[in-house]
Amino acid sequence: MNKDQVLKAYESAREQYAQLGVDTDDAINKLDQIKISLHCWQTDDVGGFETPDAELGGGGIQVTGNYPGKARSIGQVRQDLEKVMSLLPGKQRLNLHAIYGDFKGEKVDRDQIELKHFQSWIDWAKKEKTGIDFNPTCFSHPYADDGFTLSSKNEKYRRFWIEHTKRTRKIAAEMGKQLGTPSVNNIWIPDGSKDIPVDRNKHRELLKQSLDEIFEEKYPIEYLKDAVESKLFGIGSEAMVVGSHEFYMGYAVKNNKLLTLDNGHFHPTEQVGDKISAVLQFVDEILLHVTRGVRWDSDHVVIFNDEIQYIAQEIVRADLLGRVNIGLDYFDGSLNRIGAYVIGVRAAQLAFLNALLEPTAKLRIFENGGMYFERLALLEVLKTKPFGAVYNYYCQINNVPVAEDYILEIQQYEKDVLSKR
Ligand code: RNT
Ligand code: ZN
């Protein structure tokens, strides 16, 4: 886009927002502080780099599509992430799953992972001046094939997953230490059953015991933040998920852990935007997995929809940015995977920007005065204010492609790099 046009449109937008008492420069500065964690698993359809190759499975999560250009080595994942970051304004973090370790062709089972397998990622993050978040990988493994991991009645398997998860905490704490920014280690397990179980209770007892043991070791909060993620159902776990919302909400509150809210993990009429101020009365921080649920799938590419706007509005209106960690979580193999990231991050940034451009104080006055027509009318008017012009300007001052210009860059990358893989 033409630079002067972007600037002119911004100046006009600045005036329009100023009339509402909103400072656009201030909103841009605040947006620039928001870090979004890029989930490494969109680069290669949650494959990872274990030897021998593990197939995504045993987890109630599924990737469809075989668009060419999928990353097939750690080098390619890094190359793709660097490209993604070069197309985004602001700073991002990296969200790494344990199966993405640098195993150098060696067979390292999950209960054997060590810091050395992740040191090259830490060094990469140092070079990129970014932080890393981490995740145990409790799926895509023979010991997860029967659908249970940390809540398994098979003691050998359960112990294996406990050891794996303990190790991820240790590694994540070291990542946080070396990078000078705490690593959020998020525990999500697929455990559940396809058909009606008669013993839900035993699995939940086991999961609680496993978590208690995993969290026995204490690490400084400046290095590690522990998070637990619930789910309503998955493919093959329709009748029960052991780690349900109630389970983890209770666990997080009682044990002062972060609660992970993945907006694809609730009933479609429930809104994560509504849950944020509820759970933050009882836990210090949350982790968001920003995604887009479509019918039975919880993992479509994030777009600028109502759901994501509610989430951003809630956080900004209640001034909770300091207590919310934000990560993306989706996997789509049916389109350019690099493009999928840029669409998702830009949509999330746009949602936060739009929320930061809201004249909330004015809306609150209406609300407190019972002036509900005025409140609704102003909210409607805000929908057509030129926040896109503000975002374009934010991209321009960060020297990244403005608006549709990023499509061309991704097409070029596909031609030069992805198509040759
Ligand atoms: C699955 C959870 C979980 C995973 C990642 C890959 O339903 O959302 O967060 O998507 O761990
Ligand atoms: Zn998730």
Side-chain angles (χ1 to χ4, degrees):
M1 272 182 82
N2 176 292
K3 285 202 164 195
D4 284 344
Q5 268 175 5
V6 172
L7 192 62
K8 269 204 196 112
Y10 176 65
E11 278 163 1
S12 155
R14 182 162 56 190
E15 269 173 43
Q16 290 183 58
Y17 280 108
Q19 282 165 17
L20 291 167
V22 173
D23 182 337
T24 51
D25 293 315
D26 188 47
I28 288 175
N29 286 335
K30 287 189 177 132
L31 178 64
D32 204 45
Q33 305 299 311
I34 299 177
K35 291 200 175 65
I36 295 177
S37 203
L38 296 175
H39 55 312
C40 70
W41 50 95
Q42 167 63 39
T43 55
D44 75 331
D45 308 343
V46 211
F49 298 108
E50 285 181 325
T51 315
D53 262 3
E55 274 288 302
L56 174 61
I61 54 177
Q62 210 172 57
V63 185
T64 50
N66 54 357
Y67 198 84
K70 168 170 148 172
R72 293 185 193 283
S73 65
I74 289 189
Q76 291 181 356
V77 171
R78 289 183 190 147
Q79 182 185 26
D80 288 353
L81 290 168
E82 283 165 25
K83 184 70 196 178
V84 169
M85 288 173 171
S86 79
L87 297 173
L88 294 169
K91 270 256 140 237
Q92 288 74 45
R93 296 170 63 86
L94 168 68
N95 192 3
L96 206 58
H97 241 286
I99 47 172
Y100 289 78
D102 198 348
F103 303 116
K104 302 195 174 8
E106 199 191 320
K107 167 144 180 59
V108 181
D109 212 344
R110 309 263 171 99
D111 62 343
Q112 298 298 319
I113 55 165
E114 289 175 50
L115 174 66
K116 68 173 185 199
H117 304 120
F118 297 89
Q119 189 58 50
S120 72
W121 276 114
I122 301 176
D123 296 341
W124 178 82
K126 281 180 190 158
K127 193 186 88 205
E128 295 294 317
K129 297 192 174 51
T130 188
I132 305 184
D133 300 310
F134 202 40
N135 307 257
T137 311
C138 302
F139 50 85
S140 305
H141 189 281
Y143 287 3
D145 279 351
D146 67 358
F148 294 94
T149 63
L150 289 176
S151 78
S152 179
K153 289 184 182 176
N154 178 324
E155 194 56 13
K156 180 176 157 204
Y157 292 177
R158 192 173 75 92
R159 295 242 63 88
F160 174 87
W161 293 113
I162 291 174
E163 181 60 29
H164 172 60
T165 310
K166 278 186 176 173
R167 284 174 182 247
T168 59
R169 292 184 70 230
K170 189 170 181 196
I171 295 164
E174 184 61 28
M175 288 169 166
K177 187 177 177 185
Q178 287 194 34
L179 295 169
T181 164
S183 177
V184 181
N185 192 47
N186 178 51
I187 301 178
W188 173 76
I189 59 165
D191 300 32
S193 78
K194 184 182 178 78
D195 223 326
I196 306 155
V198 292
D199 197 2
R200 296 167 195 262
N201 186 58
K202 184 70 192 168
H203 288 293
R204 291 190 168 129
E205 265 177 28
L206 285 166
L207 177 54
K208 181 172 175 292
Q209 274 173 30
S210 299
L211 293 172
D212 288 348
E213 191 176 331
I214 286 163
F215 293 133
E216 257 165 28
E217 183 85 44
K218 303 287 172 229
Y219 296 95
I221 192 84
E222 306 86 64
Y223 300 161
L224 173 70
K225 294 181 189 171
D226 290 300
V228 287
E229 179 181 8
S230 70
K231 193 167 180 170
L232 181 60
F233 75 94
I235 305 164
S237 61
E238 292 85 0
M240 174 198 58
V241 163
V242 181
S244 58
H245 181 55
E246 290 70 18
F247 180 92
Y248 282 126
M249 170 98 193
Y251 196 90
V253 168
K254 189 162 181 192
N255 299 286
N256 196 23
K257 300 296 169 199
L258 275 69
L259 187 69
T260 301
L261 297 175
D262 180 315
N263 61 299
H265 289 187
F266 295 90
H267 187 279
T269 69
E270 286 186 81
Q271 289 292 342
V272 161
D274 180 59
K275 297 178 189 297
I276 292 167
S277 63
V279 303
L280 281 176
Q281 306 297 328
F282 304 102
V283 294
D284 291 342
E285 290 186 32
I286 56 170
L287 168 65
L288 287 181
H289 269 188
V290 182
T291 186
R292 175 166 51 112
V294 178
R295 302 192 189 280
W296 49 265
D297 177 56
S298 64
D299 302 297
H300 274 58
V301 179
V302 166
I303 55 171
F304 185 66
N305 58 10
D306 281 352
E307 194 161 317
I308 185 174
Q309 290 187 69
Y310 291 150
I311 291 172
Q313 283 163 349
E314 263 307 300
I315 297 169
V316 171
R317 287 172 183 164
D319 199 15
L320 294 170
L321 273 167
R323 295 170 59 195
V324 178
N325 303 271
I326 307 160
L328 301 177
D329 182 17
Y330 51 80
F331 18 100
D332 188 342
S334 72
L335 75 178
N336 182 305
R337 294 172 183 79
I338 314 308
Y341 280 112
V342 182
I343 291 172
V345 177
R346 286 187 175 221
Q349 288 181 327
L350 210 50
F352 278 104
L353 176 64
N354 201 18
L356 288 161
L357 290 169
E358 182 186 271
T360 311
K362 210 185 192 98
L363 286 161
R364 238 178 233 139
I365 291 172
F366 288 154
E367 184 162 295
N368 292 340
M371 301 159 79
Y372 300 142
F373 147 70
E374 290 82 349
R375 180 185 63 183
L376 190 58
L378 184 51
L379 285 170
E380 282 298 287
V381 167
L382 287 169
K383 287 181 181 168
T384 56
K385 289 288 170 192
F387 55 92
V390 181
Y391 188 73
N392 287 347
Y393 173 75
Y394 176 52
C395 289
Q396 182 154 298
I397 56 176
N398 277 280
N399 294 311
V400 297
V402 175
E404 66 272 17
D405 289 356
Y406 84 82
I407 299 173
L408 286 174
E409 290 245 6
I410 287 173
Q411 286 176 331
Q412 193 62 42
Y413 185 71
E414 179 165 313
K415 199 160 157 255
D416 297 344
V417 180
L418 300 178
S419 69
K420 299 196 173 125
R421 285 184 180 164

